[in-house]
Amino acid sequence: MTGALDKAALLARLQQQCDTLGLSRGQDGAHGVSGTIETITSKWWLGGRTVNYRMSCALTDDRIAHYRDAIIERSWGLPPPTLSMETSSIRGRKLSGQRRDLSPGGGGTIDFGEIRDAFEATVKTAGWQFRYEGGRMP
């Protein structure tokens, strides 16, 4: 592939993409990046609930970026009452859509596909193949 970035240059772009999107990066190695963002938080004196988006993107020597993501919800005690509005669509294994939570102790919004789409665009612009591995933990 003419004009394709090498592994180190693409890795640097993906790390920059993490920072731009507000992801807190995990233990980045020489073969990929990982990140987490807490998008929904609800707390009150009886308990609470958080929703995190986790992702990882591993680069292989055959110029393929393997992307995994997951939405992790945690609660403790008695979470506050919450009104949730969600729109979603599934195409193959890709889940896309938005979820918005409103509660007396907080809330927030999560977009299931926004971060994945940004990484896919960065990888394809660099001349690499993007492979989404749905259903696998990052």
Side-chain angles (χ1 to χ4, degrees):
M1 292 186 159
T2 307
L5 291 179
D6 66 341
K7 191 177 196 178
L10 178 57
L11 186 60
R13 281 195 184 178
L14 294 177
Q15 289 172 343
Q16 183 180 14
Q17 187 78 26
C18 279
D19 297 337
T20 302
L21 294 170
L23 294 164
S24 59
R25 284 192 289 152
Q27 297 289 334
D28 295 342
H31 301 291
V33 297
S34 63
T36 304
I37 187 168
E38 188 172 286
T39 55
I40 299 173
T41 304
S42 302
K43 296 179 183 175
W44 67 343
W45 56 279
L46 293 175
R49 185 172 58 83
T50 61
V51 179
N52 295 324
Y53 177 84
R54 291 186 189 165
M55 59 72 60
S56 68
C57 187
L59 305 178
T60 58
D61 292 331
D62 54 349
R63 296 196 181 275
I64 298 175
H66 299 271
Y67 189 89
R68 298 177 181 183
D69 62 355
I71 297 170
I72 312 294
E73 185 171 339
R74 286 183 349 159
S75 63
W76 60 94
L78 182 64
T82 304
L83 174 65
S84 295
M85 295 156 282
E86 184 173 346
T87 59
S88 62
S89 65
I90 298 176
R91 186 177 317 139
R93 289 185 171 180
K94 286 186 180 179
L95 174 65
S96 297
Q98 285 189 338
R99 173 177 162 183
R100 182 172 183 192
D101 287 7
L102 299 170
S103 79
T109 303
I110 185 170
D111 188 331
F112 302 152
E114 177 183 25
I115 295 172
R116 179 180 54 240
D117 293 343
F119 272 86
E120 183 174 8
T122 301
V123 167
K124 288 184 175 181
T125 301
W128 286 54
Q129 290 181 5
F130 182 85
R131 186 168 296 156
Y132 176 66
E133 297 178 349
R136 300 184 72 187
M137 290 297 288

